[in-house]
Amino acid sequence: METVPADQRLAEPYLLDWLSSVGLDVHYVRAEGNTLYYRDANGEEIPVVDFAGGYGSLILGHNHPRITAHAQRLLAAGTPVHAQFSRHPYANDVALALNRIIRRELGTDESYAAIFANTGAEAVEAAVKHAELDRGMRLRDLAGELADHLAAARLAVLGGATVAPEAYALAGVERPAGPEDGFGALTAAVERHNARQLDRPPVFLTLEGGFHGKLVGSVQLTHNEGYRAPFAALAAPARFVPAGSPEALKAVVEAERATVLDLVVRDGQVHAVERNSPVFCAFVLEPVQGEGGIHVLTKEFAREIQRICAEIECPVVVDEVQSGMGRTGDFLASSALGLRGDYYTLAKSLGGGIAKTSVMLTRGSLYRPEFELVHSSTFAKDAFSCYVAQEVLEILEADGGAAYRTIRERGEKLEGMLRAVAADHPDAVKDVRGRGLMLGLEFHDQAGSASAAIRESAGLLGYTAAGYLLREHRIRTFPTASAVNTLRFEPSLLLTDAEIRQLEEGLRALCVIFREADGARLTGT
Ligand code: F0G
């Protein structure tokens, strides 16, 4: 119940009003495992089963006893939390632990360098910034090489070398009558062409339906137009590729490709050779799209992306902010798809549900140490977050990966239930998707419902459904924000059979509500 006077409601009051309108304006006062508690009017604690799981940040559940005990010990011991610009062995230990896991999953020996940040969007932006720093350095190297080759070609021509006729055609200049004047025109055209190509702004590739954060840079990689379009002038735009369409990817790559002309001397003749210019900065993608509706990338498309990106020398940024940290039953969801990232981003559950931390990993062969001098944050790499992250990784890795096995087993059980509900209610449920404990259930659009209340809520169906599940079944879930007909289920690995049954009851009741067009029951009015 709202008791704060209107003029003192200053922390996102609009959002709160909106939450109230769908019955989601609950103040939780305690949390443990998969359960959140609020107090009713009598002061009684009411338990709610949490399937929203902090949007995926709670793979170990709320206030995991080992994590909270560890955090309490750290604070009691007076651990320096902020000691910027000093030795950070704890950060290195997290990087080592992450490398051990990733090497095992990818079957590689290559190391990944770690840059810490605070949020998922920040890790994505760090990856993009690193990729752009790298691209800039590659461009400079290429420009230097082209200039050296051109100078060598000029010398060769002065020494009597001829110019191969097709060089003029490639550079778009007319083949001259006398060789010397012609060479001047050729080099001028080549230099003009190359300068234009080398100056082209970076091209970012990403997938339709993707979500990579809402900061100035990352929001341009996020597909939802509502989030992205108002800020389009602030950062580089991305090319969105429909997931699962290699043809569309090839078309975008063809349209955006940049080539430069390299003048090389071969057997006493100057030739013009077309070379790729590094215009592609990064392909940023989620192996399992979360916010966009729980869509798993197919192995085939992952392979195609990998192949094309290798060909055009475009680094692949695998955004595992939501799908990583064991969420899908593997540490990295992408490793099960056979996808290998040049960069990885991790956040959410890395902080064990209590710390705010994220990390960006860069493949050793691409890493530019200069990046460390141009990217930092006051709060990144702090001791508290790093020690918590270490504990999280230890819990996930303990007993030969028992946690991953639990996630797979619990995920299969939960998915089995969702599929059973879908099979019994094909009129209400359109699809069930996901992996491990990252699952989604999509309802059919209800715009044609016989109930006016249901029809009117069709634009935010999942939120109305979430309000109903909370009110009537004490279940917390949300739709995926950019695909509001899909409810998302990301509970912790502590999920019990009883909690699955509780959700099943709620979902079956919802299906009946949609079938019977029972708007009053849905909205509780
Ligand atoms: N990348 C992915 C794949 C995400 O799912 C998110 C956040 C981010 C980046 C940004 O992380 O919020 O810490 O800055 N996803 C939330 C969601 C908001 O609804 O799934 P952040």
Side-chain angles (χ1 to χ4, degrees):
M1 201 39 76
E2 189 55 66
T3 52
V4 182
D7 64 347
Q8 287 172 35
R9 297 167 63 232
L10 300 174
E12 305 194 32
Y14 173 78
L15 196 58
L16 181 60
D17 285 346
W18 190 84
L19 287 173
S20 313
S21 71
V22 282
L24 292 169
D25 58 329
V26 175
H27 173 194
Y28 293 104
V29 294
R30 198 165 69 80
E32 187 180 13
N34 267 332
T35 310
L36 279 159
Y37 298 87
Y38 68 88
R39 281 191 211 290
D40 68 7
N42 306 319
E44 289 286 315
E45 270 193 353
I46 307 294
V48 170
V49 185
D50 189 4
F51 281 93
Y55 292 120
S57 62
L58 296 165
I59 193 65
L60 300 178
H62 290 276
N63 296 316
H64 187 287
R66 248 182 83 178
I67 306 273
T68 50
H70 190 60
Q72 282 161 358
R73 270 198 308 278
L74 288 170
L75 298 180
T79 308
V81 176
H82 290 170
Q84 297 90 342
F85 242 61
S86 62
R87 288 179 74 91
H88 299 129
Y90 34 82
N92 204 56
D93 287 345
V94 175
L96 280 171
L98 288 169
N99 268 278
R100 272 194 298 275
I101 300 170
I102 290 177
R103 283 183 202 167
R104 181 189 69 225
E105 282 205 353
L106 298 181
T108 174
D109 287 337
E110 190 169 0
S111 296
Y112 281 81
I115 297 286
F116 287 85
N118 304 284
T119 66
E122 258 191 82
V124 169
E125 298 217 354
V128 166
K129 275 182 70 182
H130 185 286
E132 181 59 2
L133 185 73
D134 176 56
R135 194 182 75 91
M137 289 170 147
R138 286 191 282 146
L139 278 169
R140 270 195 296 285
D141 289 349
L142 178 60
E145 225 178 282
L146 293 173
D148 289 350
H149 290 179
L150 194 134
R154 187 172 282 132
L155 268 182
V157 168
L158 283 175
T162 56
V163 178
E166 87 284 349
Y168 292 102
L170 265 175
V173 275
E174 216 160 291
R175 200 174 153 198
E180 274 135 64
D181 324 339
F183 189 68
L186 176 70
T187 53
V190 164
E191 281 181 315
R192 235 183 359 257
H193 169 81
N194 288 354
R196 259 200 315 271
Q197 295 298 310
L198 295 170
D199 275 355
R200 275 176 54 183
V203 175
F204 295 96
L205 302 174
T206 186
L207 296 178
E208 288 183 0
F211 185 94
H212 301 287
K214 289 179 178 165
L215 296 183
V216 165
S218 50
V219 80
Q220 292 308 318
L221 303 166
T222 288
H223 190 224
N224 186 321
E225 207 178 334
Y227 302 151
R228 174 170 47 86
F231 310 105
L234 298 182
R239 291 293 309 254
F240 291 94
V241 178
S245 172
E247 294 73 31
L249 174 55
K250 280 178 206 147
V252 168
V253 163
E254 248 352 280
E256 297 288 352
R257 207 169 201 153
T259 52
V260 286
L261 291 174
D262 192 6
L263 293 182
V264 293
V265 185
R266 242 184 353 240
D267 305 326
Q269 201 175 34
V270 175
H271 297 264
V273 177
E274 228 175 23
R275 286 175 67 175
N276 276 339
S277 172
V279 73
F280 295 102
C281 182
F283 195 139
V284 186
L285 60 90
E286 293 159 278
V288 182
Q289 291 185 337
E291 197 268 358
I294 314 292
H295 295 280
V296 185
L297 201 69
T298 65
K299 281 188 181 167
E300 296 70 42
F301 195 50
R303 215 175 15 249
E304 203 57 356
I305 290 172
Q306 192 98 71
R307 192 184 62 73
I308 290 176
C309 284
E311 202 180 295
I312 60 174
E313 293 173 78
C314 173
V316 178
V317 177
V318 181
D319 183 350
E320 294 264 9
V321 162
Q322 188 158 171
S323 57
M325 299 301 300
R327 172 61 58 192
T328 65
D330 293 286
F331 185 78
L332 297 173
S334 51
S335 69
L337 301 176
L339 180 67
R340 161 116 195 235
D342 296 302
Y343 297 85
Y344 291 99
T345 54
L346 292 165
K348 299 210 187 226
S349 288
L350 181 63
I354 59 168
K356 293 177 190 172
T357 189
S358 64
V359 69
M360 179 278 273
L361 299 165
T362 309
R363 196 172 177 162
S365 56
L366 292 182
Y367 186 58
R368 302 283 191 176
E370 296 87 338
F371 189 69
E372 295 164 28
L373 303 176
V374 295
H375 188 85
S376 65
S377 157
T378 302
F379 295 109
K381 212 165 59 147
D382 65 293
F384 182 78
S385 304
C386 288
Y387 282 123
V388 167
Q390 264 180 49
E391 194 75 3
V392 171
L393 295 173
E394 270 174 34
I395 295 171
L396 286 177
E397 289 285 297
D399 304 324
Y404 307 115
R405 291 193 290 280
T406 302
I407 291 164
R408 275 182 224 143
E409 186 275 325
R410 293 286 78 195
E412 274 163 28
K413 187 105 191 192
L414 179 58
E415 185 179 344
M417 179 279 278
L418 298 177
R419 291 203 182 281
V421 172
D424 291 347
H425 296 277
D427 50 322
V429 180
K430 187 173 173 189
D431 197 14
V432 170
R433 299 182 292 269
R435 278 177 62 92
L437 290 173
M438 186 169 178
L439 297 167
L441 178 142
E442 183 178 359
F443 288 111
H444 284 294
D445 187 55
Q446 296 293 322
S449 172
S451 149
I454 294 179
R455 276 200 311 276
E456 278 156 23
S457 72
L460 38 106
L461 187 72
Y463 290 102
T464 316
Y468 164 80
L469 288 172
L470 178 60
R471 190 178 71 244
E472 300 293 332
H473 298 271
R474 295 178 181 174
I475 282 165
R476 175 176 150 88
T477 178
F478 287 111
T480 48
S482 291
V484 291
N485 288 353
T486 299
L487 288 180
R488 129 168 83 175
F489 306 104
E490 297 193 12
S492 81
L493 50 65
L494 304 169
L495 182 69
T496 65
D497 288 350
E499 288 165 339
I500 296 176
R501 277 197 299 277
Q502 193 173 333
L503 177 63
E504 178 170 12
E505 262 177 48
L507 290 175
R508 285 184 182 278
L510 253 179
C511 291
V512 172
I513 286 174
F514 290 140
R515 190 177 64 224
E516 296 179 352
D518 191 349
R521 208 170 145 218
L522 180 68
T523 55
T525 50

